Amino acid sequence: MNRLILAIDQGTTSTRAIAFEVSPEGAFNAVAVSQIDLAQHFPQSGWVEHDAAEIWRATLQTCREVVRKAGGVSRFAAIGITNQRETSVIWDAATGEPLHRAIVWQDRRTAEATGKLAAAGHEAMVQAATGLILDPYFSASKYAWLLDAVPGARERAARGEVKLGTIDAWLIWKLTGGNSHVTDATNASRTSLMDLKTRAWRPDLCDLFGVPMQALPEIRDCDALLGKADASLLGRALPIHGSAGDQHAALVGHGALTAGDAKITYGTGAFLVANVGAAPVASTSRLLGTLGYAAGGQAAYALEGSIFSAGSAIQWLRDGLKVLSDSRQSEAMAQTLTGNGGVYLVPGFTGLGAPWWEPEARGTVVGLTRDSGPAHMVRAALESLAYQTRDLLDALTKDGAPPLKRLKVDGGVTANAFAMQFIADICEVEVERPAFQEMTAMGAARLAAYGVGLTEALWTAPAEAPAVWTPRMGAEERARLLKGWRGAVRAAIIAAQPEEGE
């Protein structure tokens, strides 16, 4: 029986495909993987772009490689997709070719446009409808920018000749040969155009942002049939039966399926998602209301805090400052110090996310002395993960959630034991890292397997025990470090403010 799921994990820095074998008992085992790094383009300060055509080529290549490694397409039952969210693509409906580079979720080019909407008093309505604040992070203002930047795109979109979508919609379009223009409800919930309660596009929001509804994909549940891959691509018309944005897929992968469960993924950015149950919760602490997942005819909602720079801060130390030749050196380098020496790094390279939401902030280092060296910069970058996480957990508590006792984590940075212990210490929680780390791909595979009927339950506990870090820092030391961090954040925000007369 074909019991393999092909999971596509299209991220910010790479495109990956993984074949998961699903046992009759519902256990998932990765049997083949292929990965290709993704080029990022920075045409201006605060602008980040991807080549959507490159993403498609890498997706097809990794899928073909995994199918070959796993013994052929006949062994597969379905495809699941998870993706970097908010990244926005515009393409020609007839040729299937992108009309502009994709605008990446980190991009801040539409800060002025969203700022004008906020100044005009629209944020309360947008947040009540979508759970999201007005910020260039989300897709709607990116769509509008693309429509204006590509000559004739607005007119063509009104005639149905131009399509818009997030990366999941783009990949589904390409996989199905243009037969399916669909998105799943979690990705749609990140556009500022979907009503969070009805899970449908809102005409008034589309009008507000200047995005024609006819260019948008149809919204479906995460475990729904989203289309069938063209048989010429992989050798068989596999159904695409599961899709979720990366953070939502990780929520499913971790099994955080009931109210009170929470996970955080430390990748390029870091994203806390806390399950709040069957109804949306309005945040008063600048967290985001979002859809956790929609599957099995039910929906779970979540509160989310987004950190824009997590692993990317380590990449900057490696590729920009060149104080590291390999990111894995960061743990040993940080441990050469007995403390942080008063040095704090606020990694606002593309602005600050929750709970600050300062799009104009930039990276800031405070506390440097003549004794400061490369190790202090590395340690400050790793410690910033914990401080930013603590800010999110404090905001979650202010919104009425009970204090977490255990935080489920995943992502490349979690291989750094120093960082995980510091997170446990600063956040006063147990930190749990699963034995298998690819939670986003796992979540996509689980949704696809559930949708196609390979499993009766969306999640079953893995056999391997997780790694767990427990807090061991004293309260006075924690308070001292947090005071220093909050002073550094204030400095970063003040530095971003225009001077009088500007």
Side-chain angles (χ1 to χ4, degrees), residues 459-480:
W459 191 81
T460 53
E464 295 183 82
V468 178
W469 288 267
T470 58
R472 61 190 187 197
M473 181 181 287
E476 289 186 6
E477 175 70 358
R478 182 184 301 111
R480 183 185 69 82

Side-chain angles (χ1 to χ4, degrees), residues 67-94:
V67 167
R68 182 189 63 79
K69 288 180 178 179
V73 72
S74 64
R75 298 191 63 204
F76 286 81
I79 296 172
I81 297 174
T82 184
N83 58 284
Q84 54 170 312
R85 303 174 303 169
E86 297 94 19
T87 298
S88 303
V89 187
I90 184 170
W91 68 94
D92 188 297

